């Protein structure tokens, strides 16, 4: 019995051991299942929170649109849609920050550990043989250590800055280039480039040096203990020099303010956004040799200047090249216009990819997509079908509207949801004073120098309006929020946000009274040059009896226009004369290969839409129904073929007819301008 009893005992022990292993395995499985359930629950909660955040912004945009309709219906102009979006964003930010009670599941004190080096972006931990990766979300204030859930909610509402640059900014900048009014823009191109390049550089260095003095003052009174270098002040000067007078321009467009003033403000704002972003990148790249990396170094300075020129020129070439490639594709595949949906999709993707391609190559997407938009409007739009032309314009107009109002709504929200604000009264007041001084030293001296060479002077009231219209907006905000790692950058971001609020609300709301106070004319169609002055037509006859447009067009622009009209447009578009008629006869085979077949078909029907930019001394005829007004730049007149009624260049009537017939003609709603085959139609009552 002894051996058999021992065997039974061993068997029992083996069974007990097996049961214990099975129970422990079940417990482990249960623990794994519980862990998976917790993970799934957290993922579902995170998904729900993200949906609520997006719904919040969509609700803000919806409410903004409805209020805009009410304002337009009531003709309210003291508050623009962007300022309205910021107010709604502020209200929602207050609710998210103070209206939602804080709940916490982290009641225990977190474990402490010491690191020889600073915290890394990712942390890899080995727990019981399993490796877990943790990502750094950011520093939490000690007073809010038990409100981690609320901090996480506010952090999710705070978008990644790359969302602004890669998704929201491209349609805004592209629409600015694509909707450019070329007539007035190129007429004032020299002044626009001067304000955008030289003016932005002046503003940057004036603001940077003044803010460096403010920083020194803050250190002297004990208001600043963190590092704040001279290069940080220059960086702030660069980002805050980006103007965005969207409110002013919208009111100008609604009231039909002077076309040249509109072109100067719009062109400067479009170009100086590009200059500001490249200038800020060059300042960041400023790295002097030696121990002190924040002192002036001549070699590093010239290296930064070279980086600025290289980035800007490279971005310009890349944007223009993408526009040319799109024009070639739409011109070569002539049957693509039979499928408007595909045509619109290709146009959209090629335009948006310009921004991403430039960023991927180390250039600036803002500059690239701006000049891509200008190139697309000049060449590719001529190849699109009528339906695709309407679709692309409406598509980018809607994207521009939504993206811009989204950014301004987010600005209001970020004032309360951003968790790293640094409010410094001395820095904020100093920044306001600095931007006004920088704007004044930009506008007035440069206007004086430009007037030395301009026939059509930039009058004093125009200069005051440009000074007043130096609002800050989406670009300054996007550049400031892109880097908030240090206390200096956090202080810059907070100050930039307050400057945007003040300029949009105060200066934007005061645009209409300022127009009246400065006696700037309104009710003028900016697309037309036909402006009555006494008994003469200024578009036809200048001070010396020459074409006004021809007077104001620089010789370089006229040279470029001739080259573009005769050689580039026949290659890249279906408009313009065929190359067989502009190139020498021995280039006939090459001209036939490069010219689109549709160019021959449409040569008699399609004319260059920009021919009104340059006038020669050929006859210009205005037709009012059966009444003709004719000029050849001198004093010729021609009678109407039917009634003998004619008008001379000085506006006097020749021939005879009844006054009733004349009034009927002048009361007609449409007037046609025939100039070298170009037909323009615009309302009579705006000009007569």
């Amino acid at each position: 019995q002894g051996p058999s009893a021992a065997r039974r005992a061993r068997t029992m022990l083996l069974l007990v051991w097996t049961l214990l292993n099975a129970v422990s395995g079940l417990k482990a499985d249960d623990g794994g299942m519980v862990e998976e359930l917790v993970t799934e629950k957290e993922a579902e909660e995170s998904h729900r929170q993200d949906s609520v955040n997006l719904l919040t912004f969509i609700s803000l945009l919806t409410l903004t649109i409805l209020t805009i309709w009410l304002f337009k219906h009531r003709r309210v102009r003291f508050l623009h849609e962007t300022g309205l979006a910021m107010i709604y964003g502020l209200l929602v930010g207050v609710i998210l920050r103070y209206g939602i009670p804080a709940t916490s599941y982290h009641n225990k004190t977190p474990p402490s550990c010491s690191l020889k080096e600073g915290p890394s972006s990712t942390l890899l931990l080995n727990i019981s043989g399993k490796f877990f990766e943790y990502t750094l979300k950011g520093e939490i204030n000690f007073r809010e250590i038990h409100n981690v859930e609320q901090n996480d909610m506010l952090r999710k509402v705070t978008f990644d800055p790359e969302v602004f640059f890669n998704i929201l900014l491209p349609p805004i900048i592209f629409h600015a280039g694509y909707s450019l009014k070329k007539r007035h823009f190129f007429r004032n191109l020299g002044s626009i480039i001067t304000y955008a390049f030289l003016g932005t550089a002046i503003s940057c260095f004036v603001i940077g040096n003044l803010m460096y003095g403010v920083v020194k003052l803050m250190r002297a009174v004990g208001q600043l203990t963190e590092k704040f270098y001279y290069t940080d002040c220059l960086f702030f000067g660069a980002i805050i020099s980006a103007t965005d007078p969207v409110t002013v321009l919208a009111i100008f467009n609604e009231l039909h303010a002077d076309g040249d003033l509109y072109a100067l403000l719009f062109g400067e704002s479009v170009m100086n956004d590009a200059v500001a972003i490249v200038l800020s990148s060059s300042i960041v790249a400023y790295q002097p040799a030696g121990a002190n990396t924040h002192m002036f170094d001549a070699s590093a300075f010239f290296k930064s200047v070279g980086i600025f020129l290289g980035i800007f020129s490279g971005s310009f070439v890349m944007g223009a090249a993408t526009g040319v490639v799109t024009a070639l594709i739409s011109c070569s595949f002539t049957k693509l216009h039979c499928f408007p949906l595909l045509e619109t999709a290709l146009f959209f993707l090629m335009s948006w990819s310009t921004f991403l391609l430039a960023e991927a190559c180390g250039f600036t997407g803002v500059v690239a997509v701006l000049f891509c938009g200008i190139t697309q409007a000049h060449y590719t739009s001529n190849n699109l079908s009528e339906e695709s032309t309407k679709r692309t314009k409406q598509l980018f107009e809607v994207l521009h509207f939504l993206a811009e109002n989204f950014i301004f709504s987010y600005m209001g929200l970020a004032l309360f949801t951003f968790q790293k604000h640094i409010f410094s009264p001395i820095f904020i007041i100093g920044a306001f004073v600095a931007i006004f001084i920088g704007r004044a030293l930009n506008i007035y001296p440069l206007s004086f120098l430009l007037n030395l060479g301009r026939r059509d002077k930039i009058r004093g009231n125009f200069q005051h309006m440009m000074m007043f219209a130096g609002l800050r907006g989406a670009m300054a905000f996007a550049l400031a929020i892109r880097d908030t790692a240090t206390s200096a950058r956090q202080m810059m971001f907070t100050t930039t946000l307050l400057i945007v609020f003040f300029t949009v609300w105060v200066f934007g709301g005061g645009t209409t009274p300022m127009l009246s106070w400065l006696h700037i004319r309104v009710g003028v169609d900016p697309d037309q040059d036909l402006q009555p002055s006494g008994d003469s037509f200024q578009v036809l006859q200048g001070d010396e009896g020459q074409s006004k447009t021809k007077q104001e067009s620089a010789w370089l622009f006229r040279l470029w226009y001739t080259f573009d009209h005769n050689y580039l447009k026949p290659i890249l578009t279906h408009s313009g004369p065929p190359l067989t008629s502009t190139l020498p006869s021995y280039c006939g085979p090459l001209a036939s290969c490069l010219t689109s077949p549709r160019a021959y078909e449409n040569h008699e029907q399609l004319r260059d839409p920009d021919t009104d930019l340059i006038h020669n001394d050929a006859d210009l005829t205005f037709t009012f129904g059966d009444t003709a007004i004719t000029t050849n730049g001198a004093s010729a007149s021609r009678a109407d073929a039917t009634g003998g009624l004619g008008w001379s260049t000085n506006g006097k009537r020749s021939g005879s007819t009844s006054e009733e017939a004349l009034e009927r003609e002048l009361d007609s709603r449409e007037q046609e301008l025939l100039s070298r085959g170009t037909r323009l139609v615009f309302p009579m009552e705006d000009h007569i």
Side-chain angles (χ1 to χ4, degrees), residues 109-110 139-147 151:
T109 303
E139 183 182 0
I140 299 177
N141 193 300
F142 180 77
R143 292 171 298 180
E144 300 177 353
I145 195 68
H146 297 299
N147 298 328
N151 293 335

Side-chain angles (χ1 to χ4, degrees), residues 255-256 521-533 537 624 666-671 681-688:
L255 297 178
H256 298 297
R521 60 177 183 168
V522 295
V524 180
D525 189 350
D527 290 330
Q528 307 296 338
D529 283 328
L530 187 64
Q531 299 162 355
S533 177
F537 295 97
F624 304 85
L666 294 181
D667 290 338
S668 60
R669 294 291 301 169
E670 291 185 345
Q671 172 183 350
V681 180
F682 45 89
M684 273 288 300
E685 63 183 14
D686 293 340
H687 305 280
I688 300 299

Side-chain angles (χ1 to χ4, degrees), residues 382-400:
N382 294 316
N383 301 332
L384 300 178
S385 62
E386 183 178 355
E387 184 176 355
S388 296
T389 303
K390 293 180 180 178
R391 283 183 177 181
T392 53
K393 288 184 178 180
Q394 292 174 354
L395 173 63
F396 280 102
E397 188 174 2
V398 170
L399 290 176
H400 164 264

Side-chain angles (χ1 to χ4, degrees), residues 92-200:
V92 174
V94 170
I95 294 173
L96 291 178
R97 186 63 182 265
Y98 303 108
I100 299 178
T103 57
S104 177
Y105 302 100
H106 301 270
N107 296 321
K108 298 181 180 180
T109 303
S112 301
C113 64
S114 59
L115 296 176
K116 295 182 179 180
E117 299 179 355
S120 57
S121 58
T122 58
L123 186 64
L124 192 65
L125 295 181
N126 184 356
I127 302 177
S128 302
K130 293 183 179 181
F131 292 90
F132 297 89
E133 182 182 7
Y134 293 86
T135 303
L136 179 67
K137 288 187 175 181
E139 183 182 0
I140 299 177
N141 193 300
F142 180 77
R143 292 171 298 180
E144 300 177 353
I145 195 68
H146 297 299
N147 298 328
V148 177
E149 277 71 23
Q150 187 186 34
N151 293 335
D152 189 59
M153 179 194 67
L154 297 178
R155 190 181 297 112
K156 285 184 176 181
V157 175
T158 305
F159 279 88
D160 187 346
E162 296 304 316
V163 172
F164 290 98
F165 271 84
N166 295 330
I167 297 178
L168 297 178
L169 275 185
I172 295 176
I173 303 299
F174 181 86
H175 179 264
Y178 192 60
S179 62
L180 190 68
K181 300 181 186 302
K182 293 180 289 184
R183 186 185 188 94
H184 290 279
F185 179 83
F186 287 111
R187 176 179 298 171
N188 299 277
L189 183 60
S191 301
I192 290 172
I193 291 177
T194 303
Y195 286 126
F197 282 86
L198 188 57
T200 304

